[in-house]
């Protein structure tokens, strides 16, 4: 048996592949285009491991995907591949439409062709699991209940609109063609190998470099944080026991305003890597121009996954964030290598006008 993972050189996909092969000998075919966000170095510990077959390529390349499916006969395809950064989607939505919508469409078609040709037993057992986000539900007010699977889709950014569109395609391929699909909608992840364009790793990296910690607007936007390995365990749980055609919200009931996240990161760094002059990293916090259309609050109601499939996160926010900060302190080479020229260009563009 084999699974095919797309986007397995990115933050969550790579954590998923590493955890999968730590717990099972079932091989993984890992299809990743290696955009700026894909980093083969994250998978360095799998070098020479025959259970990991890495292929550089696009989910929208039907000939390639069809060949990989025919050659490896996977029992499941897990689609992590996406453009994932909201701020980038605001500067340039084209890649998001191309990969998240058109790429998912082409992948679904390739997978459907393969699945239709399977014999009865493997056809019945096959799964297409689509990894999606809580952002498709839009933004909550302070007192609204957390997002349930029954909430309307109300995406507000080019990124979330493209993910919403991909979720709808996946749903339609189930209802129209019978493709055995599962969808997960997860809240904000954090943990090892997180690209330092996103809030938590950016704050750690900037703090250590003595740079400003750019907090958008008033810093009171709320996100619901889940340690990445708990997201990976939720995906394994849904793959194993999820009901066909269903969507499962994934979250750890950890709502926090952004400014509190930044202050927590600063406190942990003060403890684990105190500054020579005795000042706190919090003195580097700088309020900057807000994100256009910035969603105010996300919160995930994960009761369906907990009750139906018995999933529970292993980490609290306190244990997860401590592990995360410690990981970045222990892995400066990984950080240095992802801070390529392309990364520096992005930082320049995004924070132009704000002191860096
Ligand atoms: P990421 O940006 O770190 O990684 C995305 C990976 O996909 C990269 O390795 C990239 O090279 C690859 N990729 C991009 N376009 C591709 C294409 N056309 N073909 C093949 N590979 C391609 O993203 P992430 O944070 O790991 O997110 C993974 C998935 O989880 C995404 O679908 C995202 O929407 C979803 N998600 C992310 C979060 C989060 O907090 N990061 C939360 C919920 C859901
Ligand atoms: O909710 C799930 C989503 O979480 C995923 O679908 C996305 O792929 C993922 O990128 C993430 O989106 P966010 O926009 O919530 O994550 P980001 O880390 O970019 O920002 C988190 C919050 O921090 C958000 O309110 C914006 C704010 N922020 C972010 C950056 C990069 C700042 O205040 N300053 C910053 O410099």
């Amino acid at each position: 048996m084999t699974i095919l993972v797309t986007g397995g050189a990115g933050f969550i996909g790579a954590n998923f592949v590493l955890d999968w092969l730590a717990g099972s000998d079932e091989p993984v075919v890992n299809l990743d285009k290696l955009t700026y966000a894909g980093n083969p170095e994250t998978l360095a510990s799998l070098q020479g491991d025959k259970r990991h077959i890495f292929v550089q390529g696009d989910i929208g390349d039907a000939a390639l995907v069809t060949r990989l499916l025919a050659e490896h006969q996977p029992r499941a395809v897990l689609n992590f591949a996406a453009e994932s950064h909201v701020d980038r989607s605001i500067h340039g939505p084209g890649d998001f439409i191309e990969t998240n919508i058109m790429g998912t469409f082409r992948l679904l078609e390739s997978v459907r062709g393969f699945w239709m040709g399977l014999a009865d037993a493997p056809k019945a057992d096959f799964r297409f699991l689509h990894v999606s986000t809580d952002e498709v539900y839009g933004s909550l007010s302070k007192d609204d209940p957390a997002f349930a699977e029954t909430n309307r889709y109300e995406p507000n950014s080019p990124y979330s609109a493209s993910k919403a569109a991909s979720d709808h395609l996946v749903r339609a391929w189930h209802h129209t063609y019978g493709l055995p699909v599962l969808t997960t909608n997860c809240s904000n992840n954090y943990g090892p190998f997180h690209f330092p364009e996103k809030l938590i790793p950016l704050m750690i990296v900037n703090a250590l470099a003595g740079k400003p910690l750019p907090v958008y607007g008033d810093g009171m936007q709320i996100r619901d944080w889940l340690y990445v390995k708990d997201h990976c365990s939720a995906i394994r749980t849904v793959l194993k026991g999820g009901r066909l055609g269903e969507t499962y919200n994934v979250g750890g009931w950890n709502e926090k305003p952004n400014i509190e996240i930044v202050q927590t990161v600063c406190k942990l760094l003060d403890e684990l890597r105190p500054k020579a002059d005795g000042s706190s990293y919090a003195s580097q916090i700088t309020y900057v121009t807000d994100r256009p259309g910035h969603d105010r609050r996300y919160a995930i109601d994960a009761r369906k996954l907990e009750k139906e499939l018995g999933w529970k996160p292993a980490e609290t926010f306190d244990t997860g964030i401590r592990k995360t900060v410690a990981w970045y302190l222990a892995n400066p080479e990984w950080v240095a290598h992802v801070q390529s020229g392309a990364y520096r260009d992005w930082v320049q563009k995004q924070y132009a006008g704000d002191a860096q």
Side-chain angles (χ1 to χ4, degrees):
M1 305 256 257
T2 299
I3 61 168
L4 192 152
V5 164
T6 72
F11 165 47
I12 305 173
N15 273 288
F16 181 87
V17 170
L18 291 168
D19 288 2
W20 181 270
L21 292 174
S24 148
D25 278 334
E26 183 174 0
V28 177
V29 179
N30 184 349
L31 172 65
D32 195 297
K33 189 176 173 182
L34 295 182
T35 67
Y36 79 94
N39 183 1
E41 203 175 320
T42 303
L43 301 160
S45 62
L46 297 175
Q47 207 148 23
D49 188 329
K50 292 204 163 47
R51 300 170 306 163
H52 180 237
I53 300 133
F54 184 80
V55 181
Q56 182 173 2
D58 195 314
I59 56 169
D61 182 342
L64 172 65
V65 174
T66 299
R67 179 173 66 70
L68 290 175
L69 292 168
E71 194 176 319
H72 297 283
Q73 298 284 314
R75 68 170 174 102
V77 172
L78 291 89
N79 185 30
F80 293 82
E83 289 293 336
S84 69
H85 188 30
V86 175
D87 294 317
R88 284 183 192 260
S89 83
I90 295 166
H91 285 280
D95 288 347
F96 289 72
I97 306 305
E98 189 49 46
T99 283
N100 299 359
I101 305 180
M102 293 309 295
T104 302
F105 156 66
R106 293 190 185 108
L107 179 66
L108 280 165
E109 279 296 79
S110 303
V111 171
R112 182 165 76 92
F114 165 71
W115 172 75
M116 280 181 9
L118 289 173
D120 287 352
K123 191 174 182 185
D125 291 343
F126 185 82
R127 298 289 181 269
F128 180 91
L129 190 150
H130 181 61
V131 179
S132 192
T133 170
D134 59 358
E135 299 201 12
V136 298
Y137 298 120
S139 183
L140 295 167
S141 313
K142 196 165 133 283
D143 299 320
D144 285 339
F147 299 129
E149 289 82 357
T150 47
N151 272 52
R152 272 170 54 159
Y153 271 33
E154 292 181 342
N156 292 319
S157 72
Y159 163 70
S160 55
S162 68
K163 289 296 291 186
S166 70
D167 292 9
H168 291 324
L169 291 173
V170 170
R171 176 189 160 90
W173 261 239
H174 174 66
H175 282 266
T176 304
Y177 304 113
L179 190 71
V181 307
L182 299 157
T183 298
T184 55
N185 293 89
C186 189
S187 61
N188 284 64
N189 284 215
Y190 66 101
F193 305 114
H194 203 180
F195 196 80
E197 64 184 354
K198 309 280 170 64
L199 181 71
I200 290 180
L202 181 78
M203 294 300 151
I204 299 172
V205 167
N206 275 15
L208 293 171
K211 292 184 177 167
L213 308 182
V215 173
Y216 296 164
D218 64 2
M220 290 307 291
Q221 305 82 4
I222 291 173
R223 297 291 181 267
D224 189 351
W225 295 92
L226 184 70
Y227 192 61
V228 63
K229 290 180 182 302
D230 283 325
H231 186 189
C232 295
S233 80
I235 291 168
R236 292 194 300 274
T237 302
V238 172
L239 179 65
K240 194 166 174 200
R243 284 184 292 130
L244 292 188
E246 292 289 317
T247 66
Y248 292 88
N249 281 355
V250 185
W253 307 93
N254 271 312
E255 285 183 61
K256 309 251 181 236
N258 292 338
I259 188 65
E260 194 182 316
I261 296 289
V262 179
Q263 281 160 348
T264 302
V265 166
C266 291
K267 258 192 223 128
L268 282 165
L269 286 172
D270 288 341
E271 177 196 326
L272 300 171
R273 182 69 57 84
K275 288 214 262 185
D277 66 2
S279 69
S280 169
Y281 289 97
S283 63
Q284 292 166 227
I285 293 174
T286 314
Y287 289 90
V288 301
T289 315
D290 207 352
R291 173 186 280 174
H294 199 167
D295 284 340
R296 197 67 184 165
R297 173 177 166 236
Y298 303 143
I300 274 283
D301 179 342
R303 277 177 296 181
K304 178 176 173 184
L305 176 58
E306 291 164 2
K307 283 193 184 138
E308 256 187 41
L309 301 177
W311 174 84
K312 267 210 278 308
E315 303 291 342
T316 63
F317 186 72
D318 288 349
T319 59
I321 192 71
R322 183 171 280 278
K323 281 186 183 176
T324 303
V325 171
W327 186 89
Y328 278 88
L329 289 174
N331 290 279
E333 311 80 30
W334 184 89
V335 173
H337 294 169
V338 297
Q339 288 179 312
S340 64
Y343 173 81
R344 281 197 301 277
D345 290 350
W346 161 250
V347 171
Q348 192 80 33
K349 190 166 160 192
Q350 168 65 3
Y351 302 99
D354 296 312
Q356 283 297 305

